[in-house]
Amino acid sequence: MSNAKEQFLDLQGKLKKVCEIAGLSESFYEIIKEPERIIEANIPVKMDDGTTKTFRAFRSAHSTALGPSKGGVRFHQSVTYEEVKVLSTLMSLKVALLGLPLGGGKGGIVVDPKKLSERELEILSRGFVRAMNNYLGPRIDIPAPDVNTNAKIMGYFTDEYIALNGGRQDIATFTGKSTDMGGSLGRSEATGFGVYLTIKKYYEKIGKSLKGATVALQGFGNVGSFAAKYLADDGAKIIAVSARDESAEAGSSAIFDENGFDPDQLNEIREKKGSVLNKEAEKITTEEFFALDCDILIPAALENVISDANADSIKAKLVVEAANGPVTEAGEKILNEKNIPLIPDILANSGGVLVSHYEWVQNITGSYLSEEEVRAKQEKDMTRAIGEVFATADKYKVTFRQAAFILSLTRIEKALKLKGRF
Ligand code: NAD
């Protein structure tokens, strides 16, 4: 992400403003405006062709005021020092909003994993754990999957960690593991289910039914496909899906059907043909997709897709940030002026880290939950957080994002104060 430096400054601006609204002190802002620690490492990998390459890696713990830092590790060529600062700060806010005994972390390696062989990828993954080992652990810092990392990489991480630490079976050091090695049931669906829950609760708040509500969804990956499924099961109509497919007809990036798509059918097409864009349906451009006259617009793919370049064209009555950071500062300003409410990422997509927290607890206690128990617990925990955000927005007459920030920052501030930090 090239403009991560700017994004970090924007985020600091938002934190400062919320501190002022909520009456939080300058000293507190001074502490949380930068991460507590950032480790930077260069990881050497002996490549298959006999040469050695080094890969730059970062791990940031933004705040450990409420507990060990927690957050994903991404493998991507555009990872930067600033990017992990932004993302770890947002993680602190996300876990505090859920009331979890955790802090915010994030990490990354500057690499295009598609260019590595399986062996090189494994060596790089193990190298990350060796570089960060002193600052990893179930009570210190708990990584998880993120962009281009998955349960398999968590398997390498866990194995290396155990080997480096005298065989201690501290599998709670990593979440997002396979269910065959301590992962939680219900994790795959968790983020999409949480996106659906936030929308359902918003509709209850405005006294409307989801039946027949029209949805435009960008991204039909893990988050988007499950969000679509739960929304459709509750009567909403998925009228447009935007996705990526390099082989698709030029200029067409979304499919449209005013009667609504069946998410199960879309899943089948994606699995068989590589992209939902291969569904026989009317094709529309990205510009047309964002300008659709619909009830709910859900960006569930990438960051920065709603900006001052297209926010003015948006006609949706609600925007829900299923992806991390899909709406830029300038884009949000325009949505606010147009009175289009926005449910922020730290609430809308928090179901993922919530169930990762359950994984951590299950690993530590050795007692495991059924899928139904996970779903019921997630619904209860998220319903509470969503209700608190709505009530805080009403109380302070602020946006849902500012309300979420107020709740999170107030919790972090209390913990720091009790620790005598200021
Ligand atoms: P994913 O890789 O499973 O899916 C991403 C989808 O976006 C894919 O279907 C891809 O085709 C689509 N896409 C990519 N570029 C696109 C473009 N230009 N236009 C339209 N569609 C495009 O990823 P995911 O796990 O679903 O994550 C999506 C977003 O949600 C990311 O921002 C991620 O950080 C965030 N998120 C994910 C989780 C989680 O639990 N998976 C948790 C919190 C936040």
Side-chain angles (χ1 to χ4, degrees):
M1 191 189 297
S2 57
N3 58 354
K5 214 172 215 167
E6 240 168 67
Q7 286 182 345
F8 188 66
L9 290 174
D10 279 349
L11 182 56
Q12 284 183 323
K14 280 186 194 155
L15 296 177
K16 191 154 181 49
K17 177 141 194 229
V18 165
C19 284
E20 282 160 18
I21 296 172
L24 304 174
S25 71
E26 280 278 333
S27 310
F28 169 64
Y29 174 72
E30 186 60 25
I31 296 176
I32 49 99
K33 73 177 204 272
E34 289 281 345
E36 275 176 27
R37 74 169 175 262
I38 307 175
I39 304 172
E40 187 172 345
N42 288 301
I43 304 172
V45 174
K46 264 191 205 159
M47 306 299 282
D48 292 348
D49 65 5
T51 61
T52 295
K53 274 198 182 142
T54 57
F55 296 88
R56 180 154 294 178
F58 308 99
R59 182 72 188 169
S60 164
H62 169 262
S63 168
T64 56
L66 293 165
S69 43
K70 166 118 206 65
V73 178
R74 55 178 58 179
F75 287 3
H76 199 275
Q77 56 276 22
S78 69
V79 164
T80 63
Y81 181 81
E82 258 73 27
E83 186 185 64
V84 297
K85 277 171 58 164
V86 172
L87 295 168
S88 62
T89 309
L90 290 172
M91 281 305 294
S92 289
L93 300 174
K94 201 182 282 187
V95 289
L97 181 61
L98 292 165
L100 301 177
L102 295 171
K106 203 76 173 194
I109 303 182
V110 188
V111 60
D112 179 356
K114 286 191 271 334
K115 294 194 174 142
L116 298 191
S117 69
E118 194 49 48
R119 188 196 69 88
E120 291 164 346
L121 196 61
E122 179 178 344
I123 294 177
L124 181 64
S125 304
R126 290 181 183 277
F128 181 82
V129 174
R130 279 205 303 282
M132 308 294 170
N133 184 45
N134 286 344
Y135 281 96
L136 295 177
R139 306 285 180 193
I140 303 173
D141 183 37
I142 309 147
D146 201 88
V147 176
N148 293 332
T149 52
N150 51 26
K152 191 175 183 178
I153 305 279
M154 295 308 113
Y156 298 147
F157 279 0
T158 307
D159 188 56
E160 189 67 22
Y161 184 80
I162 291 171
L164 286 170
N165 294 281
R168 282 177 64 98
Q169 293 287 330
D170 275 338
I171 62 168
T173 307
F174 305 94
T175 62
K177 302 182 292 294
S178 156
T179 49
D180 298 314
M181 56 171 291
S184 180
L185 292 170
R187 173 62 185 88
S188 319
E189 302 86 342
T191 309
F193 180 60
V195 170
Y196 155 70
L197 274 179
T198 53
I199 297 171
K200 181 176 140 162
K201 295 294 163 189
Y202 175 79
Y203 264 64
E204 282 173 10
K205 174 183 158 66
I206 62 169
K208 276 192 170 177
S209 156
L210 264 177
K211 210 161 187 59
T214 52
V215 177
L217 173 69
Q218 185 189 38
F220 202 77
N222 171 271
V223 179
S225 61
F226 280 111
K229 176 187 149 33
Y230 291 111
L231 283 163
D233 285 353
D234 209 354
K237 279 199 295 186
I238 314 298
I239 60 162
V241 179
S242 158
R244 185 184 50 183
D245 182 6
E246 276 95 51
S247 64
E249 184 187 316
S252 67
S253 79
I255 47 173
F256 174 79
D257 184 343
E258 62 181 0
N259 297 315
F261 292 107
D262 172 355
D264 289 337
Q265 243 185 41
L266 292 184
N267 260 320
E268 236 173 73
I269 288 171
R270 186 190 52 171
E271 265 158 41
K272 282 198 190 129
K273 299 188 173 173
S275 167
V276 295
L277 295 181
N278 292 311
K279 162 109 184 115
E280 267 181 41
E282 186 182 336
K283 302 278 193 303
I284 57 173
T285 64
T286 306
E287 290 71 31
E288 288 166 335
F289 169 82
F290 280 109
L292 278 175
D293 197 353
C294 62
D295 294 309
I296 308 162
L297 172 61
I298 310 177
L302 309 163
E303 63 272 2
N304 302 334
V305 292
I306 298 177
S307 66
D308 49 356
N310 61 358
D312 212 26
S313 72
I314 289 175
K315 298 187 195 73
K317 298 178 187 69
L318 174 71
V319 173
V320 182
E321 290 189 322
N324 280 320
V327 181
T328 67
E329 182 89 3
E332 184 166 0
K333 197 160 168 266
I334 296 170
L335 295 181
N336 287 342
E337 282 162 10
K338 286 165 64 103
N339 284 322
I340 299 174
L342 178 148
I343 301 186
D345 46 8
I346 66 162
L347 179 64
N349 69 30
S350 63
V353 73
L354 182 61
V355 174
S356 289
H357 168 252
Y358 303 162
E359 178 177 343
W360 177 71
V361 173
Q362 291 171 85
N363 293 162
I364 287 172
T365 60
S367 169
Y368 284 75
L369 301 172
S370 70
E371 200 165 328
E372 292 69 35
E373 286 168 325
V374 168
R375 190 74 40 80
K377 193 164 162 46
Q378 180 182 351
E379 179 153 3
K380 184 165 156 272
D381 290 346
M382 278 194 74
T383 298
R384 188 190 54 231
I386 296 163
E388 286 172 350
V389 171
F390 291 165
T392 306
D394 287 345
K395 179 177 165 194
Y396 287 91
K397 309 220 171 335
V398 293
T399 64
F400 292 140
R401 192 187 311 279
Q402 285 172 323
F405 278 31
I406 289 173
L407 284 161
S408 307
L409 290 177
T410 305
R411 286 177 186 150
I412 298 170
E413 191 237 21
K414 267 194 191 143
L416 286 172
K417 212 175 229 168
L418 287 167
K419 289 177 174 181
R421 294 282 187 88
F422 64 92

